């Protein structure tokens, strides 16, 4: 996931959760958290999903899906 993906990710986030993450939370995770890894899933060029987590040593703690 990159900052360019956030408008599509935020649309999915708002449609999926009543207590959704803020755009600022995603920006901090992507740009400032050295443990964060975030990926998008696409279909025919459209973002249809995403997953993020903290990769620490050999474990992944999923933070958002």
């Amino acid at each position: 996931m990159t900052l360019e993906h956030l408008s599509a990710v935020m649309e999915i986030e708002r449609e999926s959760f009543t207590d959704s993450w803020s755009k600022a939370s995603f920006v901090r995770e992507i740009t400032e958290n050295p443990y964060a890894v975030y990926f998008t899933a696409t279909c025919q060029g459209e973002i249809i999903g995403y997953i993020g987590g903290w990769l620490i040593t050999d474990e992944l703690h999923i933070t958002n899906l």
Side-chain angles (χ1 to χ4, degrees), residues 2-53:
T2 66
L3 295 176
E4 291 78 26
H5 298 133
L6 286 183
S7 60
V9 167
M10 291 307 302
E11 186 176 324
I12 296 169
E13 181 78 4
R14 285 189 297 271
E15 290 177 6
S16 301
F17 302 104
T18 55
D19 188 19
S20 59
W21 278 26
S22 68
K23 184 176 181 179
S25 293
F26 279 104
V27 169
R28 275 193 304 276
E29 284 291 287
I30 294 169
T31 63
E32 298 176 20
N33 185 346
Y35 302 106
V37 289
Y38 282 78
F39 302 95
T40 56
T42 62
C43 181
Q44 298 180 347
E46 181 181 344
I47 294 175
I48 59 169
Y50 56 92
I51 186 171

